[in-house]
């Protein structure tokens, strides 16, 4: 296994279709709204059915505030490197440092020649690309005196003035498959960006080895090169093949690619907005959570020469690590804006070109209940206040088992206490979102919000009616809860059982309650359908959400009461 330790990045690969420009731009904006990190477009300047990629990137940059942008990948034979360097730096400055430069050596040479480009052999293309990288980086290097001078075989620059410098160190990612391109990636690039569909079994492992060797020969660390992957697939109820099945199957396959092949960026190709929402809301958070858990447990193996470096030292997409809290915490971006592990909520959603949209009655963040310092255990589980909104009861709380009493003489390190505090933080995210669902229901019932305002906050609605807006939000929240429970059932709970068998009855009960909560969530779904179809359905929807509130808040408090100390004592992250 190889894990280069980079923060995980998730993005979209949108077709730059010219037939419906509004749809193309809308998919890019949706990429930001659902909480993904990156939006990319292929670059084929000879294709009249496509918008010009560089013009499109500039337009999308003006319509978004947070998401990063890149060509996937830039057609270098038709874009002179000195001019390209100025274009990239200019857009990076205009977008507050959100541009990455993807580069390719070229393909479809007949079309390139038809547009006035020069046909190159594969070997010539690699040499031309390396010359272009040198020119581009010299153009950005405004600290060095004198003009840019590269007297290459294919690209020549004789004293061009340097600048402007981009707003941040713009990463250079190469689309590469053959050994010479992979070696160039290891020597000079910040990222390797192949497409999974073009790879044969074993190609990722072989490519990583070539890149790693070339990097070390050049005096670099293998982890200076981020490993990215364009992926495509289909969400379906049952598994039919690789990346063709339910979200849980996607999660498992991407986790294996992350920990086994070192892939830290997954870019979904396709133009289905529902796929983008599921990728952001169900797949990305769970992959982040499970990869973080495996890294914390020390399972993932890192290549030689990587352990001493800061994760993501070569480059990282700003804002990604800040949203890596977990799948379960969710976010206010339609269930897809993940939070930082132990940090604040990720970037707000953008509305058009301007400032972030105002949240719809977002609940205030609850202050931390523990100062994580060494000594006695200080993480305070959230108490159950005993308030119940529903007349129904889904279980008998008096039959809940308890775990072993903590050792009063034991002390805990700050790192151990942070684990229990993290569980509370995850649950706080769920509690905050639950409170927001109640608030949205009341605002919709009172006619206090319209579809535009709700859309700016929820970011994933596809209809223009208030009830559809509310339904999409509740549906996204239900997915977050289910994902969180799946992670616990498949990761946390087996470790707790194995390390302290006395916790077995507690873990069994928590798993049983997960199934009950799943049934309650199904009831919310049914109430949503009824509400959309009938103006009299609001009372039933309120009742279903009230029952969910009673069950979930009771369950979260019970789980914290029984697990925050064992998580710290047993060292389970």
């Amino acid at each position: 296994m190889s894990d280069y330790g980079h923060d995980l990045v998730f993005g979209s690969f949108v077709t730059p279709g010219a037939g419906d420009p509004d749809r193309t731009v809308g998919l890019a904006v949706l990429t930001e709204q659902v909480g993904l990190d990156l939006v990319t477009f292929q670059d084929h300047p000879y294709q009249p059915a496509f918008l010009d990629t560089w013009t499109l990137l500039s337009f999308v940059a003006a319509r978004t505030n947070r998401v990063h942008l890149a060509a996937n990948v830039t057609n270098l034979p038709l874009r002179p490197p000195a001019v390209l360097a100025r274009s990239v730096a200019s857009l990076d400055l205009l977008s507050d440092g959100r541009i990455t430069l993807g580069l390719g050596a070229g393909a479809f040479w007949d079309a390139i020649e038809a547009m006035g480009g020069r046909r190159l052999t594969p070997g010539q293309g690699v040499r031309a690309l390396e010359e272009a990288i040198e020119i581009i980086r010299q153009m950005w290097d405004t600290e060095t005196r004198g003009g840019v001078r590269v007297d290459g075989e294919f690209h020549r620059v004789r004293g061009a003035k340097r600048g402007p410098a981009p707003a941040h160190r713009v990463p250079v990612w190469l689309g590469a498959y053959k050994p010479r391109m992979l070696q160039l990636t290891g020597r000079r690039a910040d990222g390797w960006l192949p497409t999974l569909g073009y790879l044969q079994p074993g190609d990722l492992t072989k490519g990583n080895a070539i890149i790693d060797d070339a990097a070390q020969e050049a005096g670099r660390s293998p982890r200076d090169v981020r490993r990215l992957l364009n992926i495509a697939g289909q969400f379906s109820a049952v598994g039919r093949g690789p990346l063709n099945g339910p979200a849980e199957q996607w999660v498992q396959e991407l986790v294996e690619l992350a920990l086994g092949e070192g892939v830290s960026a997954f870019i979904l190709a396709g133009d289905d907005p529902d796929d983008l929402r599921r990728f952001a809301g169900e797949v990305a958070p769970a992959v982040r959570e499970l990869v973080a858990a495996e890294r914390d447990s020390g399972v993932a193996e890192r290549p030689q020469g990587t352990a001493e470096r800061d994760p993501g030292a070569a480059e990282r997409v700003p804002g990604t690590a800040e949203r890596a809290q977990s799948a379960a915490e969710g976010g206010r971006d339609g269930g897809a804006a993940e939070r930082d592990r132990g940090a604040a909520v990720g970037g707000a959603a953008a509305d058009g070109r301007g400032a972030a949209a105002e949240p719809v009655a977002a609940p205030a963040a609850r202050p931390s209940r523990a100062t994580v310092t060494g000594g006695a255990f200080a993480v305070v589980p959230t108490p159950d206040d005993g308030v119940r909104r529903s007349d129904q009861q889904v279980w008998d709380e008096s039959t809940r088992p308890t775990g072993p009493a903590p050792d009063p003489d034991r002390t805990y390190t700050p790192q151990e206490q942070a684990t229990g505090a993290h569980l509370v933080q995850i649950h706080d995210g769920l509690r905050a979102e639950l409170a927001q669902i109640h608030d949205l229901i009341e605002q919709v019932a009172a006619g206090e919000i319209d579809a535009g305002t709700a859309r700016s906050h929820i970011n994933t609605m596809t209809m223009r009616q208030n009830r559809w807006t509310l339904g999409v939000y509740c549906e996204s929240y239900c997915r977050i809860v289910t994902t969180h429970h799946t992670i616990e059932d498949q990761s946390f709970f087996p470790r707790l059982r194995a390390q302290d068998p006395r916790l077995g009855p507690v873990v069994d009960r928590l798993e049983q309650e997960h199934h009950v909560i799943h049934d309650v969530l199904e009831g919310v779904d049914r109430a949503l359908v009824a509400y959309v179809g009938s103006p009299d359905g609001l009372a039933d929807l309120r009742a279903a959400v009230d029952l969910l509130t009673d069950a979930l808040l009771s369950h979260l408090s019970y789980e914290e009461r029984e697990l925050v100390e064992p998580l710290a004592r047993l060292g389970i992250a």
Side-chain angles (χ1 to χ4, degrees), residues 186 211-222 303-305:
I211 291 170
D212 292 352
D213 290 344
Q216 290 174 332
E217 289 174 6
R220 310 175 72 203
S221 166
Q304 182 181 359

Side-chain angles (χ1 to χ4, degrees), residues 133-149:
I133 293 172
E134 178 64 26
I135 291 170
I136 290 167
R137 287 195 166 138
Q138 284 198 35
M139 292 290 290
W140 293 340
D141 178 13
T142 57
E143 300 297 320
T144 299
R145 300 185 63 181
V148 174
R149 296 188 179 276

